Amino acid sequence: MFTLKKEKKKKMHIDIYSDDCVIYQGRWDDLPLSENIIIEKSIDFFNDPEPCYIHRDAVRVRLLAELEAGLNRNFLSVPPQWLDTLTAMTGFSLISRVEFSEK
């Protein structure tokens, strides 16, 4: 018989710019975080200086949630201090703006 296609749930994407150059494009969930930040937060959260993939993933989820909370669901008007936090967490230099989209 006929099957109904389930509509795919759209995922949040981010484009990160340094001046007018795109330095990262991809899914929000795949945002590359700095290894130093992951280790630092793994120590803070789990007292684990050599995190396994489970702790690494838990740190990623928590850091992404903190970043999202810093935006207060306002993806159109990103404050400069949030860009500074994003810069520190990713290790990218000179993030000038970001654009969010759903795909």
Side-chain angles (χ1 to χ4, degrees):
M1 196 95 187
F2 295 103
T3 58
L4 297 176
K5 277 189 174 181
K6 289 186 178 179
E7 190 173 318
K8 287 186 179 181
K9 186 176 180 183
K10 292 184 177 185
K11 302 285 185 174
M12 182 68 73
H13 283 68
I14 185 171
D15 296 344
I16 300 176
Y17 294 85
S18 178
D19 294 324
D20 289 330
C21 296
V22 175
I23 55 176
Y24 176 79
Q25 275 184 317
R27 283 185 37 192
W28 172 251
D29 294 345
D30 295 335
L31 183 70
L33 298 175
S34 165
E35 181 68 11
N36 292 337
I37 292 294
I38 290 174
I39 300 296
E40 177 187 322
K41 296 301 180 178
S42 177
I43 292 169
D44 290 348
F45 302 152
F46 306 110
N47 197 24
D48 185 358
E50 297 178 9
C52 64
Y53 73 93
I54 295 171
H55 281 175
R56 284 178 174 278
D57 192 45
V59 167
R60 282 188 58 73
V61 168
R62 188 163 174 177
L63 292 177
L64 290 174
E66 287 177 12
L67 282 168
E68 283 183 47
L71 289 174
N72 294 323
R73 310 271 318 142
N74 184 0
F75 298 108
L76 297 176
S77 178
V78 177
Q81 61 271 24
W82 189 87
L83 293 176
D84 295 339
T85 302
L86 182 64
T87 297
M89 287 191 182
T90 60
F92 294 146
S93 60
L94 303 173
I95 295 176
S96 57
R97 68 184 168 98
V98 297
E99 294 176 1
F100 291 94
S101 61
E102 288 187 333
K103 297 180 184 177

